[in-house]
Amino acid sequence: MKRELTQEDRKLAAAGYEHLEEQKAKKGQTKAEIDNVDIQEHHLSFEELKQAHNASFDTKDPAQSPGLTSEDAKARLARDGQNILTPPKKKSALRKYFDCLNTMFNILLIIAGILEYVLLGIDFKANFQNTYLGGILIAVAFLNAFIEFYQLQKSEAILASFLAMIPPSCRVVRDGTITSIAAADLVKGDVVLIRVGDKTPADLMIFAATDLKVDNSSLTGESEPQERLPLPEGSKARPVEAENLVFNSTLVVNGEGWGVVVRTGDHTLIGQIAALTGGEQSTQSPLAVEIGHFVMMISIIAIFFAVIFFVVGITTAYKGKAAATVTFAVSILVAFVPEGLPSVVTLLLSIAAKRMAKQNVLVKSLQGVETLGSLTLLATDKTGTLTRNQMTVTNLWSGGKMYSAFQSNNDEEDTATFSIEASGMREMVDIAALNSRVKFDKTDVPFDQRAILGDATETGLTRFAGRYLPQYDEHQKKFRKVFEVPFNSSNKWALVILEKPHADGFLTSYIKGAPERVLAKCSTHLKDGVCEAITDDFRTEYDDAYNYMASRGHRVIACAQALLPGEKYPADHTFSRSGGNYPETDYCFVGLVSLEDPPKHGVREAIGTLRLAGIKVMMVTGDHPKTAEAIARKINLILGDSDTKESLSAKTGRPIEEIYEDEVNAVVIHGDSIDGLQAWQWDQIFSKQEIVFARTSPQHKLEIVKRAQALGHIVGVTGDGVNDSPALKKADLGISMNMSASDVSKEAANMILLDDNFASTVKGVAEGRQIFVNLKRSIQYTISHSTPEVIPQLLYVVVPIPLPLPAILILVIDLGFELFVALSFAWDKPETVDGLMRMSPRKPVNDRSILSRKRRALRRSRTLAQDSESQEHFHPSRLSTIASKIKSPFTRHFWEDALEPSDDETLVDSKLLSYAYLEAGMIEMLGALVAYFVVFYKKGFSPKDLRRAQTIGGYFVKGSPDFINSRGQTIDASGQIEAFAQAQSIVYLSIFITQCFNVFAVKAKFSFPFGKSIVGNVYNFFGILAGACLGIFIIYTPPLHVVFGGSYHLSPLYWLIPCAFGVLLLIWASIRVLLLRKSIEQSRVKDIKGLMMCEC
């Protein structure tokens, strides 16, 4: 990636990544509490350990350790209690409820309700109606909090029940046999076996180990895995530095070990460090942030207008009547605040989460439902996620010849059928069988009927070897293991030394692993039973064979052997890992073996669908680049006509250095180059449409996620292995498999695919996008009634006219029919079959958004103080940060950023506000006012009469004087009250009726508001029916008129007026579809040439 960059270009490219460098610098810090723990067992020798815990173990052959008896273990469990940590102090249910209550909307409602009761205390008779209004306002706040609290408790209970289905287990020796038990049942003195991928179940003292390494980062902050080994005489170091101790909850990242349980439960190291048991603070999801901004914005608007109307009211209509003016201001506040919205949002997300669970997608938090729909980039592991994790040996290459392990139409004509007698084949079968760590569930049944316990690669090799070794068990027992180095993600090879005699000695060493790593250890290669020197011709043949295997998407393993000379390595030679006291070089290269792990059914179509939805899908795998690229081409991740620099170089014959970045749109990055990538190179990589990272470590995966997030991507990570867990935890949405995944990855993930089907991700994305649309429709619908509620209040003060809508009826609108209908949007289906899954993500990441983000980051970094020598930035104090936030609205950059054009679609944007307040809101307001004036006119009051009566005052109440209208008619007090009651009733019903039409108008985005997809949600009609029943019940039931007003004399003919305006609203919605169609079409993802979207 050679390119000449100016200094300004480099600074701009690096902008936005600075926090990642700071995080790297902070690693390695330890916690002071660790020094104060009370752990002494690591000082004991093996004999002292046996006596102290009455333990029974065999250091030479750990698998033959007697362990504890079942009766002894039962007695110890009764004495010491279960091996569980006292859970960190959680918030009580009451505290959680008050947290739900402590939101801006609820606080406003409670304050408004308290104000009404204060007025009641000042003048009970004049403010008697405030009894109901204040009580309802406070009750609504507490009800909102209860609904949110209930759903939170429910989701936590569902998650807890799922985790209870997979309790932590461990391998322990009881009664002389290895068995698997719940980790909670471990007792001191138990003999435990731990292997790579396990979470240590208790504090153990190691008495036997093979290349054992543990990740202590959760305890000490050490980023590098720590080696653990047996120390027969004990250790003099601090507990956390003792090489013979492994601690509860730490992760085994390499090798295996045998240990004796020395501490359980709260007596373990982690149990003694209270600070570590509290967990990390969770970050808010994008949806939660947007809802928070919306609530704050609406609350500020509501408070602002309430204060303004209070000032205007007390100086005009109420002329110093403070109590009445406060009630009026409260009604304005109530009109602006969508009281039922928090409950609706919580219930909508809860319904969506239940629907996703039925599709085998378990969401740990409700906000995660929508996050999946917001993804812009999905980084996925290969093995077990995209592929079936069922390895089958396909080809073998040795001595310059290629062999096929089974009949295949894909092999070339000169590929021979496998024969055990062919050159190098017997050696490769031996390496597959003897350099293996697999276990069998049973050994007393035929080989082909056994379940093999081990990773997929070793399982495939073992199955292959078992076909050609009739006496498999005897063959393994015949050649005893003397020493081994298990495979790990750093070395990428596994080594074993066996008591296998040969002409020059007694021991034979076998090694298998990543081809490039194994070949580097070899000086000769096997051909026709003879080791010959490695030459350039051999390397050419090796490259051709490797490319042949890897280009077909197969995993390639290299095998080598060393016949150890007896003079240097006698039969009783002691090997050890320390100091490299085992043969690491001068091996004889035996051959290559390829294994096929076919893609899962539906993966290709799933990735194609995600790409058509504008989501960038990239593979992050530990496999070789050639293998990863070949698999990527099979599953739509890299298209057939897409070139990488390497493939274009091979096609054209041009050197890779001469190929420009804009000539290719696919890139395959080797893990070895990740650590050295500069900021501008990361930008180039993420600018490609098709990305594969190969030969990556867990640290690389984490770095990739962080870099993508720094560019503004909302990142999802799918995986199932221990090595995926750091990236799963860091991602905006970690997605773990279920059946094939480790407990660690499931714990780190936010979402679990219960059926292990990657295609379920597509269902989740579609559901997440739909729930965002439904939430937006619900909000758009809910706040549309603010204008017809507020403008009449304004006319009441300014014109003035009799109050069109009292605060109590506004509450009935917000919490009555609005709540029913707003909730029914949860069951809305997509407007078109593929509409949502052909639209760009709502916050797309493109060149413009990245450039904007980097410019802002660069501007921020330039405002920070900088050390003149180290050039490090000093972060400002909290006081300085607050001061800068206060000053920012008065700066040019603030408004440049605020007004900068963006492709982002937020939950509440300018289009939604325009529609709700200025378009649909104005139509509904006109409908309500026209109906209001028509009803009054029919009762003898013209608009001028209303203004005159309200200006004079004293009318429309009991005992009011007779009113003579402009036509000379006299209207007594009862006639005035009846006219006023009917006018307020029709305003209430007008808002309800036009909102019924608005239910369908808010859905019209791609198509007109008349199609099946628009009116196909039967729950909308149930909501409308429920709202209609409530409205008619309130207006036409005399006993309720004391609280709500209303009149059963109101003629249904008046309903036709708001119906006409409802039709007008649908016409406007149709016009709006035509006006916005072009911009919506532009946001659709264009067809991608070359996608394979059908099963062929």
Side-chain angles (χ1 to χ4, degrees):
M1 296 182 183
K2 292 186 176 178
R3 177 185 165 194
E4 290 298 325
L5 291 173
T6 65
Q7 188 66 22
E8 189 64 24
D9 285 339
R10 290 184 183 276
K11 285 183 179 179
L12 186 61
Y17 290 132
E18 303 92 342
H19 63 289
L20 301 182
E21 303 304 324
E22 290 173 8
Q23 288 171 7
K24 285 182 181 179
K26 290 179 181 178
K27 286 185 177 180
Q29 295 179 358
T30 59
K31 294 183 178 289
E33 296 98 322
I34 291 178
D35 290 327
N36 301 320
V37 294
D38 178 26
I39 293 179
Q40 307 295 332
E41 286 81 0
H42 59 294
H43 298 316
L44 303 177
S45 66
F46 286 165
E47 288 304 317
E48 291 170 336
L49 178 65
K50 287 180 180 180
Q51 293 173 10
H53 293 284
N54 197 17
S56 182
F57 55 87
D58 186 341
T59 57
K60 293 183 179 178
D61 192 352
Q64 300 303 316
S65 297
L68 299 178
T69 64
S70 299
E71 291 76 14
D72 191 8
K74 190 174 180 181
R76 296 187 186 201
L77 186 63
R79 182 191 69 197
D80 299 330
Q82 284 196 307
N83 175 38
I84 54 176
L85 293 170
T86 301
K89 190 175 181 181
K90 292 184 178 180
K91 291 180 182 177
S92 65
L94 187 63
R95 174 68 186 277
K96 288 180 182 177
Y97 177 77
F98 278 109
D99 283 345
C100 295
L101 188 64
N102 187 26
T103 63
M104 197 66 181
F105 279 175
N106 290 338
I107 291 170
L108 287 179
L109 292 175
I110 291 171
I111 291 173
I114 292 171
L115 277 175
E116 292 300 317
Y117 277 109
V118 169
L119 296 178
L120 194 67
I122 294 171
D123 188 347
F124 183 83
K125 189 175 180 181
N127 298 291
F128 177 71
Q129 272 198 325
N130 294 352
T131 308
Y132 306 107
L133 179 59
I136 291 172
L137 287 169
I138 294 171
V140 166
F142 279 88
L143 180 63
N144 273 338
F146 175 76
I147 292 173
E148 185 178 352
F149 167 75
Y150 174 74
Q151 292 299 332
L152 181 67
Q153 292 289 89
K154 203 170 178 182
S155 62
E156 286 181 359
I158 292 171
L159 179 60
S161 65
F162 171 77
L163 294 175
M165 292 165 58
I166 46 170
S169 61
C170 60
R171 290 173 289 271
V172 63
V173 179
R174 292 270 176 91
D175 299 314
T177 59
I178 297 179
T179 184
S180 182
I181 67 168
D185 294 334
L186 274 183
V187 296
K188 286 192 280 189
D190 261 328
V191 175
V192 176
L193 168 64
I194 53 175
R195 285 179 173 163
V196 61
D198 290 347
K199 240 185 175 181
T200 309
D203 284 0
L204 308 178
M205 183 165 166
I206 299 299
F207 66 85
T210 305
D211 197 26
L212 178 65
K213 290 185 180 180
V214 293
D215 178 7
N216 279 351
S217 59
S218 61
L219 293 175
T220 65
E222 293 166 305
S223 58
E224 292 300 316
Q226 304 298 302
E227 187 172 6
R228 291 295 177 257
L229 51 119
L231 298 175
E233 299 305 318
S235 171
K236 304 300 181 186
R238 294 187 308 136
V240 75
E241 294 174 349
E243 293 181 311
N244 59 348
L245 280 183
V246 291
F247 300 111
N248 186 11
S249 298
T250 55
L251 181 64
V252 180
V253 295
N254 195 67
E256 73 174 28
W258 296 80
V260 175
V261 176
V262 294
R263 294 273 175 145
T264 61
D266 290 335
H267 299 289
T268 60
L269 178 74
I270 196 169
Q272 295 184 49
I273 305 171
L276 295 181
T277 61
E280 296 181 358
Q281 291 184 344
S282 58
T283 55
Q284 282 192 311
S285 70
L287 180 66
V289 172
E290 289 188 30
I291 290 175
H293 287 165
F294 167 67
V295 167
M296 187 59 67
M297 178 183 72
I298 293 295
S299 300
I300 291 170
I301 292 172
I303 294 170
F304 175 77
F305 276 98
V307 171
I308 293 295
F309 274 58
F310 177 83
V311 173
V312 173
I314 205 167
T315 56
T316 56
Y318 293 105
K319 295 186 172 76
K321 297 176 182 176
T325 314
V326 167
T327 301
F328 171 66
V330 166
S331 68
I332 296 297
L333 186 74
V334 169
F336 266 109
V337 174
E339 291 83 6
L341 188 62
S343 302
V344 168
V345 169
T346 303
L347 290 169
L348 281 173
L349 291 172
S350 179
I351 291 165
K354 286 180 183 176
R355 202 156 52 224
M356 291 178 76
K358 289 179 181 177
Q359 297 176 346
N360 293 310
V361 180
L362 178 76
V363 185
K364 288 186 178 181
S365 69
L366 291 181
Q367 304 289 351
V369 175
E370 192 279 330
T371 305
L372 185 54
S374 305
L375 294 182
T376 59
L377 185 145
L378 183 64
T380 174
D381 182 37
K382 181 182 77 68
T383 305
T385 304
L386 300 178
T387 59
R388 299 176 192 172
N389 205 17
Q390 297 171 356
M391 294 287 190
T392 304
V393 173
T394 53
N395 293 95
L396 300 96
W397 178 81
S398 180
K401 293 181 181 179
M402 184 71 69
Y403 300 90
S404 176
F406 64 91
Q407 197 63 36
S408 172
N409 295 327
N410 296 327
D411 284 319
E412 295 178 356
E413 293 181 3
D414 59 348
T415 301
T417 303
F418 175 84
S419 170
I420 192 73
E421 303 302 328
S423 173
M425 293 302 103
R426 188 170 296 279
E427 287 83 353
M428 293 187 75
V429 169
D430 270 352
I431 292 172
L434 300 175
N435 188 358
S436 175
R437 298 174 62 78
V438 300
K439 306 291 182 187
F440 301 103
D441 64 335
K442 299 175 183 176
T443 55
D444 56 351
V445 296
F447 183 86
D448 57 356
Q449 296 178 20
R450 301 177 185 178
I452 301 177
L453 310 176
D455 68 65
T457 303
E458 289 210 328
T459 299
L461 291 171
T462 302
R463 286 275 181 221
F464 168 72
R467 293 208 300 266
Y468 300 100
L469 294 172
Q471 305 298 322
Y472 186 89
D473 295 330
E474 287 73 11
H475 191 72
Q476 278 203 319
K477 290 176 182 176
K478 183 179 177 181
F479 307 113
R480 188 177 73 87
K481 287 184 182 179
V482 175
F483 175 78
E484 68 176 327
V485 179
F487 178 89
N488 64 63
S489 57
S490 299
N491 292 337
K492 298 191 182 298
W493 49 261
L495 178 147
V496 65
I497 298 176
L498 307 161
E499 286 183 351
K500 189 177 182 187
H502 50 86
D504 295 331
F506 308 96
L507 305 176
T508 301
S509 179
Y510 288 145
I511 189 169
K512 69 177 182 186
E516 65 272 21
R517 301 289 180 93
V518 172
L519 185 62
K521 295 180 178 296
C522 299
S523 57
T524 58
H525 69 96
L526 188 67
K527 186 171 184 180
D528 298 326
V530 179
C531 288
E532 299 181 358
I534 291 177
T535 62
D536 290 341
D537 290 339
F538 168 79
R539 290 187 183 276
T540 301
E541 290 179 357
Y542 162 88
D543 288 338
D544 292 342
Y546 184 88
N547 290 335
Y548 172 79
M549 292 173 164
S551 62
R552 299 163 74 198
H554 296 177
R555 176 172 288 182
V556 185
I557 303 294
C559 301
Q561 68 176 13
L563 305 179
L564 304 183
E567 304 85 31
K568 186 175 181 181
Y569 299 102
D572 59 350
H573 184 84
T574 301
F575 299 93
S576 69
R577 287 271 297 158
S578 56
N581 187 17
Y582 62 92
E584 290 191 84
T585 56
D586 292 330
Y587 277 80
C588 178
F589 189 87
V590 176
L592 299 172
V593 55
S594 69
L595 300 97
E596 181 180 19
D597 184 12
K600 287 181 179 177
H601 179 77
V603 162
R604 183 178 65 186
E605 288 70 29
I607 290 177
T609 304
L610 292 172
R611 291 191 63 180
L612 286 172
I615 298 172
K616 186 176 291 187
V617 185
M618 66 182 187
M619 182 191 294
V620 184
T621 178
D623 262 346
H624 191 278
K626 290 277 186 184
T627 304
E629 182 181 346
I631 288 289
R633 290 187 182 277
K634 288 182 179 181
I635 57 174
N636 276 332
L637 219 149
I638 296 180
L639 302 182
D641 58 350
S642 295
D643 282 316
T644 63
K645 282 189 172 183
E646 291 76 13
S647 63
L648 187 60
S649 173
K651 282 182 185 177
T652 61
R654 294 159 55 196
I656 291 177
E657 293 77 13
E658 294 181 7
I659 295 174
Y660 293 100
E661 287 295 332
D662 56 5
E663 292 184 79
V664 297
N665 58 358
V667 62
V668 180
I669 305 296
H670 197 292
D672 291 345
S673 64
I674 288 177
D675 292 331
L677 291 175
Q678 297 180 32
W680 63 270
Q681 292 173 309
W682 280 107
D683 291 351
Q684 281 187 344
I685 290 169
F686 285 115
S687 69
K688 305 299 181 191
Q689 290 303 310
E690 298 162 344
I691 307 169
V692 172
F693 288 95
R695 285 287 190 253
T696 56
S697 66
Q699 289 74 23
H700 291 150
K701 292 184 179 183
L702 184 60
E703 184 72 10
I704 291 163
V705 171
K706 289 179 178 179
R707 294 284 174 173
Q709 288 173 327
L711 293 178
H713 279 290
I714 298 176
V715 181
V717 173
T718 64
D720 62 349
V722 173
N723 59 336
D724 299 317
S725 57
L728 286 170
K729 198 166 188 178
K730 178 62 182 173
D732 296 286
L733 190 74
I735 307 168
S736 171
M737 301 296 116
N738 177 33
M739 294 175 282
S740 65
S742 65
D743 289 349
V744 179
S745 63
K746 282 188 277 193
E747 188 180 316
N750 310 102
M751 185 176 288
I752 298 172
L753 304 182
L754 298 178
D755 58 355
D756 280 20
N757 186 0
F758 179 81
S760 296
T761 308
V762 175
K763 298 177 187 175
V765 170
E767 187 67 54
R769 290 190 173 190
Q770 186 60 46
I771 195 60
F772 176 79
V773 170
N774 293 349
L775 273 171
K776 192 159 188 171
R777 287 173 178 174
S778 185
I779 292 172
Q780 190 169 337
Y781 167 82
T782 301
I783 65 176
S784 291
H785 63 61
S786 292
T787 302
E789 289 174 355
V790 173
I791 297 298
Q793 307 286 340
L794 181 64
L795 297 178
Y796 162 63
V797 173
V798 175
V799 174
I801 58 174
L803 183 65
L805 199 65
I808 198 80
L809 281 182
I810 291 175
L811 273 178
V812 173
I813 292 172
D814 292 2
L815 301 169
F817 66 80
E818 293 280 279
L819 199 58
F820 296 126
V821 179
L823 192 56
S824 71
F825 285 107
W827 289 276
D828 269 2
K829 299 240 177 347
E831 208 174 328
T832 59
V833 176
D834 64 347
L836 292 177
M837 295 304 286
R838 287 303 304 270
M839 303 297 291
S840 296
R842 64 185 187 90
K843 291 187 176 181
V845 177
N846 48 39
D847 291 343
R848 186 171 71 178
S849 70
I850 291 173
L851 185 60
S852 172
R853 176 178 282 265
K854 284 182 173 291
R855 281 175 176 164
R856 293 182 189 187
L858 184 61
R859 200 158 57 234
R860 283 196 304 270
S861 67
R862 284 173 173 169
T863 60
L864 297 176
Q866 195 174 31
D867 186 273
S868 57
E869 294 182 4
S870 65
Q871 299 300 306
E872 290 184 0
H873 288 109
F874 296 119
H875 287 281
S877 64
R878 185 174 295 181
L879 193 63
S880 300
T881 303
I882 294 171
S884 65
K885 284 184 179 180
I886 295 171
K887 292 177 185 175
S888 60
F890 305 98
T891 61
R892 178 170 59 88
H893 290 311
F894 175 86
W895 293 105
E896 284 179 354
D897 293 343
L899 300 175
E900 186 178 15
S902 172
D903 297 324
D904 291 359
E905 181 184 6
T906 54
L907 191 63
V908 180
D909 53 19
S910 58
K911 289 180 182 177
L912 183 147
L913 294 174
S914 170
Y915 176 88
Y917 290 131
L918 302 179
E919 299 165 34
M922 293 301 289
I923 292 172
E924 290 183 19
M925 180 269 294
L926 290 173
L929 286 178
V930 168
Y932 169 86
F933 286 118
V934 167
V935 167
F936 260 127
Y937 187 79
K938 286 291 185 180
K939 295 297 180 182
F941 292 90
S942 68
K944 284 186 178 179
D945 293 333
L946 293 174
R947 184 175 184 277
R948 182 162 56 88
Q950 191 66 17
T951 303
I952 295 170
Y955 293 104
F956 306 108
V957 293
K958 284 183 181 180
S960 60
D962 292 346
F963 181 80
I964 301 174
N965 65 17
S966 56
R967 286 172 280 182
Q969 298 170 330
T970 301
I971 304 171
D972 60 13
S974 61
Q976 296 170 31
I977 292 171
E978 179 62 27
F980 186 43
Q982 289 192 28
Q984 286 191 335
S985 298
I986 195 60
V987 170
Y988 168 78
L989 289 175
S990 293
I991 294 174
F992 164 68
I993 291 168
T994 49
Q995 278 287 76
C996 289
F997 286 88
N998 194 29
V999 170
F1000 308 105
V1002 294
K1003 299 184 188 183
K1005 183 176 182 180
F1006 302 106
S1007 55
F1008 299 119
F1010 315 112
K1012 184 179 177 182
S1013 62
I1014 302 293
V1015 299
N1017 181 0
V1018 68
Y1019 292 99
N1020 287 155
F1021 294 98
F1022 288 154
I1024 290 170
L1025 180 62
C1029 292
L1030 178 68
I1032 292 170
F1033 179 66
I1034 286 174
I1035 298 301
Y1036 291 95
T1037 305
L1040 297 178
H1041 294 168
V1042 177
V1043 180
F1044 301 103
S1047 172
Y1048 60 88
H1049 296 297
L1050 181 69
S1051 171
L1053 288 175
Y1054 290 122
W1055 300 359
L1056 295 175
I1057 297 171
C1059 285
F1061 278 90
V1063 172
L1064 178 62
L1065 179 58
L1066 292 180
I1067 293 171
W1068 170 247
S1070 302
I1071 295 170
R1072 199 169 185 268
V1073 169
L1074 295 174
L1075 294 174
L1076 297 177
R1077 181 166 284 175
K1078 186 176 180 181
S1079 64
I1080 292 172
E1081 284 297 322
Q1082 288 175 345
S1083 64
R1084 281 177 65 88
V1085 178
K1086 295 179 176 60
D1087 290 335
I1088 301 174
K1089 186 181 177 183
L1091 277 183
M1092 299 176 287
M1093 294 300 292
C1094 63
E1095 290 292 337
C1096 302

